[in-house]
Amino acid sequence: MLDIPSRVRVHVETLPAAQNDMGVRDAFQHNAPARKPDAMTAPHPAKVAGIDPTVPTPAHTVAPVSPAPDAGPVPGTAPAAPAVTVPHAPAPGTLLQDRLAGWVSDLTTLQELTERLCRTTGLDAALEELLRAGAALVGARRGLVVLEPGDGPGPRTTLGLGLGRADIGHLETVPHGPLHTTLDGESVRADLFAEDGLDPRHREVATRLGYAACYALPLTSEPGSGLGTAVWFYDEPAAPDEHHRHLIGLYVRHAAAHLALLLEVERTRAYAATITEELLPSRLPRVPGVQLAVRHRTGPRGGGDWYDALPLPDAALGLSVGSVTGSGPGAVAAMGRLRASLRAYAVMEGEDPVAVLSDLELLLRLTEPARSATALFAYCEPALRKITLAGAGHSPPLIVGERRTEFAETSVSAPLGMLACWEAPSLEFHAEPGETLLLYTDGLLHRTGEAMDRAFARLHAAAASVPRALRGDPGALADHVLRTVLPDGLDPGDAGEDPEDVVLLAARFD
């Protein structure tokens, strides 16, 4: 750590920018990994890490006064003795001011870099910021970070700066190469081709990628706990000096702590998503006369949306979607209980969707009075293309075909658990050959970020615009609707922090 007395006041107003020598900070602000940054503090060292000082070393003395032009001896006087130049001694405190100014510059740079890192909310974004900041601090142009937690559970990832996938693949094949840094400390290889006993594979990869030196640091959040390795590459033989190595060490220490927190968040989300996926059907059934497809995304905190497709007696098919209020593990567990109960009621009395939802409402009110849920259940007879459905506070399904694109207007009803006794009339209609029934949860509408009436209109327009070539495939139809309604589709990388689950279940009748 930098030990700076708290009572020392630094007056640097009169110091020129060259004396402050804020090379690292300027290098980072101007994306300096593509060029060679200036040295950070005075006096300027010799060429280190491929850095050529472009600003000459300032003289910490008062500028010498130029002698007056020689006007010749004054008549009647003896010739003046030759002038003797006496070097001026440094002003008291000048060297201390320069050193303190350099410390202030270093601390400001580290503060800016750590603040930018802490603003990242995802692992990939944090790793990219780590590579960019580290490249500026050590004067490198390219870098690579390998996230490989030592405690076992992932996620594991490799990310490069200025390196393609093929380049990363070549580096991973180097035995005892730059990616195999231990937790003991840093690895400095100032001139790879001058090393004795360099592995031939390492020499081959270095020649192919065009680097001659590398500097690696382990990512450790606490003693004995390794997260991975960060390494930066130089095009020419070079190495960071002790000062820059101290700065990058401080930065990487804070970066590792931030990465450890993001890693725990990522693991928690992955666990919640895995539990949710295991509670939902792993595959959809094959029922003659109907084709099924589903698209589903779980929110980052784990939500209570579900879907189901259940073969029933007499060649019938039960379709259901629903949502439990809340998020997190409690909502996921409640969703699993309700879905399992609805399957049992559907097997016993599926031909009457109102009875199925009435029993589910009674169960919810008796066992979990603090929760509410929305649900929609459809009893389908594929041979007749007949659909009987009922909904409890759920959005109406959408019928998509060649001649029509319209919502199946179910009766307005309160969600389950909101009334002392729930009951609503069912709706019965027939699907034409080639028509598709779309069932979805409210998360699809909420993720549009618009009012509900506009969200419904947007969904209707997306379904009506499905090309004719895609109407025969329910999966392709669902993908088109999602790409049109949601800007990011269901891409997990662009889901951000939106807590909404999304379910879209498509059933096409032959």
Side-chain angles (χ1 to χ4, degrees), residues 113-187:
L113 298 186
T114 52
E115 286 179 351
R116 292 182 58 168
L117 178 69
C118 292
R119 284 194 291 267
T120 59
T121 57
L123 272 177
D124 288 347
L127 294 176
E128 291 177 358
E129 183 63 30
L130 167 64
L131 286 177
R132 286 195 296 265
L137 287 172
V138 301
R141 188 172 62 90
R142 292 177 291 178
L144 181 67
V145 60
V146 178
L147 187 66
E148 190 173 8
D151 54 359
R156 291 174 169 83
T157 184
T158 301
L159 196 66
L161 173 67
L163 297 171
R165 291 184 177 270
D167 300 336
I168 296 175
H170 290 310
L171 288 169
E172 290 176 340
T173 63
V174 177
H176 308 290
L179 304 185
H180 298 81
T181 302
T182 64
L183 300 180
D184 298 334
E186 61 185 358
S187 173

Side-chain angles (χ1 to χ4, degrees), residues 215-434:
Y215 176 72
L217 278 176
L219 301 175
T220 55
S221 58
E222 56 186 27
S225 176
L227 301 177
T229 302
V231 56
W232 291 271
F233 302 96
Y234 300 98
D235 298 340
E236 300 176 357
D241 60 6
E242 182 179 355
H243 175 69
H244 291 81
R245 287 162 59 184
H246 177 65
L247 290 180
I248 188 64
L250 293 175
Y251 177 76
V252 168
R253 186 188 309 169
H254 291 284
H258 183 63
L259 289 174
L261 294 177
L262 293 180
L263 187 62
E264 289 300 321
V265 173
E266 197 72 19
R267 287 173 174 173
T268 303
R269 291 177 177 176
Y271 293 153
T274 301
I275 294 174
T276 303
E277 294 297 332
E278 291 296 326
L279 291 174
L280 297 175
S282 58
R283 62 178 61 184
L284 298 175
R286 294 184 178 181
V287 178
V290 64
Q291 302 177 46
L292 300 174
V294 67
R295 299 294 183 265
H296 173 248
R297 181 187 70 81
T298 302
R301 294 194 294 270
D305 288 13
W306 84 79
Y307 65 91
D308 205 351
L310 178 66
L312 298 176
D314 301 327
L317 174 69
L319 300 176
S320 69
V321 292
S323 177
V324 177
T325 56
S327 61
V332 173
M335 175 269 290
R337 293 191 292 268
L338 282 183
R339 174 181 167 271
S341 301
L342 190 147
R343 289 173 68 92
Y345 299 145
V347 170
M348 294 185 296
E349 49 191 3
E351 66 278 1
D352 186 359
V354 173
V356 172
L357 294 184
S358 296
D359 292 342
L360 189 65
E361 192 275 339
L362 178 61
L363 175 70
L364 181 67
R365 181 156 45 89
L366 293 177
T367 59
E368 301 187 51
R371 290 192 182 277
S372 63
T374 64
L376 188 146
F377 178 74
Y379 180 78
C380 306
E381 301 174 70
L384 303 176
R385 294 189 298 277
K386 179 182 177 181
I387 303 169
T388 306
L389 61 87
H394 204 82
S395 300
L398 187 63
I399 308 170
V400 182
E402 293 288 343
R403 300 181 179 180
R404 60 174 176 172
T405 300
E406 61 186 22
F407 290 99
E409 295 296 340
T410 57
S411 60
V412 179
S413 171
L416 301 176
M418 298 292 291
L419 301 178
C421 181
W422 178 91
E423 186 172 350
S426 60
L427 173 67
E428 181 179 309
F429 61 94
H430 287 79
E432 297 295 331

Side-chain angles (χ1 to χ4, degrees), residues 447-449 458 481-491 494:
R447 274 186 52 81
T448 62
R458 189 169 179 174
V481 171
L482 289 174
R483 286 194 301 267
T484 307
V485 175
L486 304 179
D488 60 347
L490 289 185
D491 185 4
D494 297 331

Side-chain angles (χ1 to χ4, degrees), residues 426-449:
S426 60
L427 173 67
E428 181 179 309
F429 61 94
H430 287 79
E432 297 295 331
E435 288 189 333
T436 300
L437 180 67
L438 292 180
L439 288 75
Y440 53 92
T441 57
D442 292 342
L444 178 63
L445 304 174
H446 294 161
R447 274 186 52 81
T448 62

Side-chain angles (χ1 to χ4, degrees), residues 53-75:
T54 58
V55 181
T57 304
H60 303 291
T61 58
V62 181
V65 180
S66 302
D70 188 6
V74 180

